[in-house]
């Protein structure tokens, strides 16, 4: 599964715990839908609205880290 399956839980967590505004969350989803590429890139937009460039870079790094950790493990797995 992929796409926006985790959107309800993210909506609840981000609006409740981080203080993200409903309008910014909606705009981030809209930007993610009209942007080319993977749907997960919508998280960069709220980062931009909170901490400007630093927030967007931190959000991008947070998206990139898990796949970058899995790739070396996948190479080792195929060698075994």
């Amino acid at each position: 599964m992929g796409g926006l399956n985790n959107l309800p839980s993210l909506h609840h967590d981000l609006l409740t715990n981080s203080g993200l505004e409903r309008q910014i969350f909606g705009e981030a989803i809209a930007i993610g839908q009209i942007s080319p590429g993977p749907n997960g890139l919508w998280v960069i937009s709220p980062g931009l609205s909170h901490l400007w460039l630093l927030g967007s870079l931190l959000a991008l790094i947070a998206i990139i880290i898990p796949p970058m950790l899995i790739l070396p493990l996948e190479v080792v797995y195929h060698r075994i």
Side-chain angles (χ1 to χ4, degrees):
M1 288 198 193
L4 299 173
N5 292 336
N6 60 351
L7 190 60
S9 65
L10 286 174
H11 179 267
H12 179 269
D13 289 343
L14 290 174
L15 292 180
T16 306
N17 298 332
S18 74
L20 185 67
E21 296 176 13
R22 214 174 265 252
Q23 179 182 357
I24 294 173
F25 186 80
E27 289 172 357
I29 299 297
I31 289 169
Q33 291 297 307
I34 63 171
S35 300
N39 284 336
L41 293 179
W42 67 269
V43 299
I44 296 172
S45 181
L48 182 66
S49 70
H50 276 315
L51 296 174
W52 291 94
L53 184 60
L54 177 64
S56 60
L57 287 174
L58 290 174
L60 181 63
I61 290 169
I63 292 172
I64 292 175
I65 286 175
M68 291 300 146
L69 293 175
I70 295 297
L71 287 173
L73 292 173
E74 189 265 338
V75 170
V76 171
Y77 177 77
H78 278 295
R79 288 186 181 176
I80 293 175

